[in-house]
């Protein structure tokens, strides 16, 4: 790796494009001390099955797992009718049985934009991984690998062997990371792609690059079977917008930058005010909230032609609506009920209004900015939902660790935002599992609950199709027959690779980490500019 030693230039590139993070590494996850299995044989009895294919729920169903594979999926009766025990898969004394009558079983969720965090957030890997797993996330695409390629690949390997409590990790390396100096030619781009492939990377995250270099890197990645994703940063979108990237063979667009630019009809460049400075985070995000209104109107000729070509090119959208949610309602995200119990002090400090921290752009954020972002969301929702309706692939990503978005919780918020955009709950779960597995070229192994696939599943003691909030670690509010407010839901078990994790125990571990950190620092969460 000495030839490709991490260079100041490559780190500066990340800073320039606005990620606001360095290659300083966070603490790696410790050896696994939680989770049971995989078992020679395990039966999950009596569930209502949401299999991830898009098919409607059915049940009661018994699911048999042998080792880390799904061995059978068997309907065992009808709702409201006693189950004939003679018709059920048999269990002997060595079989692990989970009695799950009334529960819902879904495929493990895949977060397609999941950062482990960095030194600036102060989030050890164990903290992040357990929050993900507690919310049913069994696989992540880690874009950029900002803790360093070697660090990420080592965690990926340990997770694949279930040596740590963590989702399986697909590592997408930030373009140029590990190269000795900036990449300045197509030949260097191809050599770099070959290098990360040899090291075991799964793909590349771009922020944009000069066209010949960008095109060569995408082409080489496609030849080697590596995935590609681009955040079309405003500092690089002048080279290629989202449609131009798709024409080059890019497989996935994350966020939404680059799409409005492809939809411009009477301009080439975003309408920046004269005093704009990209390094000013408020400028960056405030003006981004006006971008969709500069694009072609929905269902116009330009709008349709761009969408239709993107569909033909089979590019995937990973919108990450949730990471921008505070832009339209800052107080709601800042006061989310889970922060007090599950947000580390270091992460809370990172979230606070700050001219330096990425995503802490609340320098002078008010009603006008929020109204503009609400209008921005309406147009963005329209494009993504119609893209899905016309057969396009949409996946879920949270990009948590920034902008008051907490790992795991932010992913469920993304589900709620897709629902707001017009997705049916079954379409959301399909995007959260099967569609993401297709992008990772793992749909023969992951993404649905079908015989022969890996045993990645989520067991919930409530109906998530009726109320997505039941998937939050804090559950959903329900008033019982005694007229008392109680909480229902929260993931009961997350099963990854046949290993069964108690999701509530995972959350208890996270709560303990937060409490200990607060005690050490004599810290309490307060609101910006206030002492409460």
């Amino acid at each position: 790796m000495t030839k490709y030693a991490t260079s100041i230039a490559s780190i500066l590139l990340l800073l320039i494009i606005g990620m606001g993070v360095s290659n300083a590494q966070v603490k790696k996850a410790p050896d696994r001390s939680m989770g049971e299995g995989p078992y020679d044989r395990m039966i999950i009895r009596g569930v209502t099955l949401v299999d991830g294919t898009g098919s409607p729920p059915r049940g009661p169903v018994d699911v048999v797992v042998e080792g880390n594979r799904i061995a059978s999926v068997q309907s065992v009766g009808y709702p409201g009718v006693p189950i004939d025990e003679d018709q059920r898969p048999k269990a002997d004394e060595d079989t692990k049985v989970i009695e799950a009558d009334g529960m819902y079983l879904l495929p493990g969720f895949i977060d397609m934009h999941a950062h482990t965090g960095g030194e600036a957030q102060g989030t050890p890997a164990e903290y992040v991984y357990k929050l993900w797993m507690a919310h049913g996330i069994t696989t992540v695409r880690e874009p950029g690998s900002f803790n360093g390629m070697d660090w990420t690949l080592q965690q990926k390997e340990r997770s694949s062997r279930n040596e740590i409590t963590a989702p399986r990790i697909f590592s997408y390396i930030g373009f140029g990371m590990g190269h000795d100096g900036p990449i300045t030619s197509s030949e260097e781009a191809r050599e770099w792609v070959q290098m990360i492939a040899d090291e075991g990377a799964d793909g590349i995250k771009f922020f944009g690059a000069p066209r010949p270099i960008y095109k060569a890197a995408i082409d080489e990645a496609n030849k080697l079977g590596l995935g590609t994703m681009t955040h079309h940063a405003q500092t690089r979108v002048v080279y290629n917008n989202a449609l131009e990237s798709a024409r080059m063979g890019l497989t996935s667009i994350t966020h939404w930058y680059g799409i409005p630019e492809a939809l411009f009809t009477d301009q080439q460049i975003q309408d920046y005010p004269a005093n704009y400075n990209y390094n000013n985070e408020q400028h960056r995000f405030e003006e981004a909230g006006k971008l969709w209104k500069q694009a072609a109107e929905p269902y116009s000729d330009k709008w349709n032609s761009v969408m239709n070509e993107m569909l033909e090119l089979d590019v995937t959208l990973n919108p990450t609506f949730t990471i921008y949610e505070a832009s339209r309602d800052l107080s709601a995200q800042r006061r989310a009920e889970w922060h007090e119990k599950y947000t580390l002090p270091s992460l809370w400090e990172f979230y606070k209004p700050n001219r330096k921290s990425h995503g802490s752009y609340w320098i002078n954020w008010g009603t006008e900015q929020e109204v503009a972002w609400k209008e921005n969301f309406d147009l963005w929702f329209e494009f993504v939902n119609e893209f899905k309706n016309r057969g396009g692939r949409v996946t879920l990503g949270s990009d948590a660790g920034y902008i008051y978005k907490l790992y795991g919780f932010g992913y469920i918020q993304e589900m709620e935002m897709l629902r707001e955009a017009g997705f049916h709950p079954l379409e959301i779960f399909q995007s959260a599992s099967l569609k993401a597995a297709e992008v990772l070229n793992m749909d023969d192994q992951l993404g649905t609950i079908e015989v022969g696939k890996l045993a990645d599943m989520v067991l919930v003691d409530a109906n998530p199709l009726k109320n997505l909030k039941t998937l939050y670690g804090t559950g959903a509010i329900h008033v019982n027959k005694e007229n008392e407010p109680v909480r229902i839901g929260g993931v009961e078990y997350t099963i990854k690779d046949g290993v069964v994790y108690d999701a509530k125990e995972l959350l208890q571990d996270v709560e303990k980490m937060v409490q200990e950190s607060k005690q050490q620092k004599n810290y309490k969460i307060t609101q910006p500019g206030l002492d409460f």
Side-chain angles (χ1 to χ4, degrees):
M1 288 293 292
T2 55
K3 179 181 178 183
Y4 299 99
T6 301
S7 66
I8 292 175
S10 64
I11 296 173
L12 283 176
L13 174 61
L14 300 178
L15 294 171
I16 289 169
I17 58 181
M19 289 307 301
V21 297
S22 73
N23 267 28
Q25 298 173 350
V26 299
K27 186 178 180 181
K28 294 178 180 177
D31 292 345
R32 180 167 69 91
S33 61
M34 306 181 74
E36 298 179 355
Y39 299 93
D40 290 340
R41 182 175 168 83
M42 176 172 68
I43 304 176
I44 305 171
R45 293 204 184 277
V47 296
T48 298
L49 180 66
V50 180
D51 64 15
T53 66
S55 298
R58 65 185 191 274
V61 167
D62 285 0
V63 177
V64 179
V65 176
E66 295 178 355
N68 68 343
R69 297 276 174 180
I70 299 168
S72 73
V73 178
Q74 183 174 332
S75 292
V76 294
Y78 303 91
V81 177
I83 295 173
D84 183 351
E85 295 297 327
D86 291 336
Q87 301 301 313
R88 310 188 85 166
K90 301 299 185 248
D92 59 26
E93 60 184 12
D94 296 322
T95 302
K96 168 70 175 179
V97 176
I98 298 177
E99 297 293 349
D101 291 352
M103 295 187 180
Y104 281 71
L105 188 69
L106 302 93
F109 302 142
I110 302 174
D111 191 332
M112 293 293 280
H113 197 126
H115 296 290
T116 307
E119 186 182 47
Q121 289 101 327
T123 51
E126 179 184 14
Y127 168 82
V128 177
Y129 295 160
K130 286 183 175 179
L131 280 170
W132 282 337
M133 295 281 284
H135 287 88
I137 298 167
T138 58
T139 300
V140 299
R141 179 173 68 176
E142 221 278 16
S145 301
F146 296 125
N147 287 299
M149 181 165 62
D150 290 343
W151 188 98
T152 305
L153 293 176
Q154 191 266 356
Q155 293 287 276
K156 169 190 169 181
E157 183 61 27
R158 295 204 74 203
S159 176
S160 71
R161 298 194 297 263
N162 293 315
E163 294 174 354
I164 56 177
T165 300
R168 59 173 50 79
I169 298 168
F170 285 77
S171 176
Y172 276 47
I173 310 301
F175 183 59
M177 178 178 284
H179 189 265
D180 188 12
I183 294 174
T184 58
S185 71
S186 298
E187 291 75 19
E188 285 186 348
R190 290 184 184 277
E191 289 176 359
W192 180 86
V193 174
Q194 292 163 10
M195 180 274 292
I196 68 164
D198 290 342
E199 292 293 327
D202 299 292
I204 306 166
K205 181 181 181 181
F206 297 96
F207 293 89
R211 185 165 298 185
I213 294 171
Y214 187 49
K215 184 175 182 180
I218 293 173
D219 180 65
E220 194 66 25
N222 288 336
K223 288 179 180 177
L224 297 174
L226 298 181
T228 52
M229 62 186 294
T230 298
H231 163 175
H232 290 83
Q234 288 97 324
T235 53
R236 294 290 183 270
V237 73
V238 291
Y239 293 127
N240 307 279
N241 62 40
L243 179 57
E244 291 165 337
S245 292
R247 287 169 177 165
M248 291 182 190
L250 184 77
T251 56
S252 181
I253 297 165
T254 194
H255 307 314
W256 52 272
Y257 307 107
I259 301 176
E261 288 86 346
L263 292 165
F264 286 165
T265 58
D266 57 1
Q267 64 193 82
Q268 291 292 316
I269 297 173
Q270 181 178 337
D271 185 17
Y272 297 109
N275 67 337
Y276 182 95
N277 186 329
Y278 182 77
N279 286 3
N280 181 318
E281 291 274 299
Q282 167 120 1
H283 286 184
R284 174 182 170 183
F285 285 92
E286 181 174 351
E287 294 305 316
K290 304 172 184 177
L291 193 47
W292 275 98
K293 291 191 76 172
Q294 298 171 41
E297 292 185 2
Y299 309 104
S300 64
D301 290 344
K302 178 72 170 182
W303 197 87
N304 283 323
S305 67
V306 169
M307 178 176 291
N308 289 339
E309 188 173 355
M310 290 176 68
L311 289 166
E312 290 171 7
L313 293 166
D314 195 31
V315 69
T316 297
L317 301 187
N318 180 234
T320 69
F321 293 126
T322 186
I323 197 59
Y324 303 96
E325 192 172 4
S327 299
R328 68 174 188 175
D329 193 347
L330 172 57
S331 63
Q333 301 311 307
R334 198 181 68 235
R335 298 306 297 263
E337 62 184 1
W338 41 80
H339 285 312
E340 185 65 40
K341 185 177 285 190
Y342 300 116
T343 299
L344 280 171
S346 59
L347 186 54
W348 188 256
E349 287 296 311
F350 180 79
Y351 287 151
K352 284 183 177 180
N354 188 308
R355 297 183 191 276
K356 296 181 180 180
S357 297
H358 174 54
S360 299
Y361 48 88
W362 323 110
I363 309 306
N364 186 21
W365 201 263
T367 305
E368 294 305 307
Q369 289 79 11
E370 291 191 355
V371 168
W373 263 98
K374 288 173 183 176
E375 295 171 346
N376 203 53
F377 265 111
D378 287 343
L379 293 167
W380 185 16
F381 283 156
E382 189 79 15
F383 188 91
V384 173
N385 190 51
E386 183 64 14
F387 185 84
K388 174 265 297 177
N389 288 343
R390 295 189 188 183
R393 185 184 301 105
V394 179
T395 61
L396 272 73
S398 65
D399 198 13
Y402 306 93
I403 317 181
Y404 291 107
K405 287 296 167 177
L406 188 56
Y407 310 97
F409 288 93
Y411 187 81
I412 308 307
Q413 289 183 292
E414 180 71 358
M415 289 185 175
E416 289 201 272
M417 297 199 77
L418 283 169
R419 185 72 187 94
E420 183 180 350
F423 283 54
H424 187 281
L426 288 172
E427 292 175 328
I428 294 171
F429 295 131
Q430 185 187 59
S431 289
S433 54
L434 177 58
K435 297 298 183 181
E438 290 173 356
V439 176
L440 299 173
N441 293 317
M442 286 290 290
D443 49 305
D444 62 333
Q445 302 290 317
L446 296 171
T448 58
I449 298 177
E450 295 181 280
V451 172
K453 290 196 173 183
L454 292 169
D456 277 28
M457 296 177 282
V458 184
L459 193 59
V460 188
D461 191 15
N463 183 352
L465 289 89
K466 186 176 181 181
N467 185 359
L468 291 166
K469 294 182 189 298
T470 58
L471 293 170
Y472 287 118
T474 47
I477 298 170
H478 173 73
V479 176
N480 63 20
K481 293 179 180 179
E482 288 72 40
N483 200 32
E484 299 169 335
V486 295
R487 294 290 174 132
I488 60 172
V491 175
E492 289 289 329
Y493 296 107
T494 297
I495 303 170
K496 175 228 172 182
D497 211 28
V499 180
V500 182
Y501 295 89
D502 185 318
K504 292 183 169 50
E505 285 187 10
L506 291 169
L507 281 175
Q508 288 170 4
D509 266 18
V510 171
E511 182 182 1
K512 183 178 179 182
M513 292 181 213
V514 172
Q515 288 175 343
E516 289 176 351
S517 181
K518 285 181 176 179
Q519 290 170 358
Q520 291 170 3
K521 299 176 180 180
N522 191 26
Y523 187 93
K524 73 171 186 175
I525 285 179
T526 58
Q527 296 304 316
L530 302 174
D531 59 2
F532 60 89

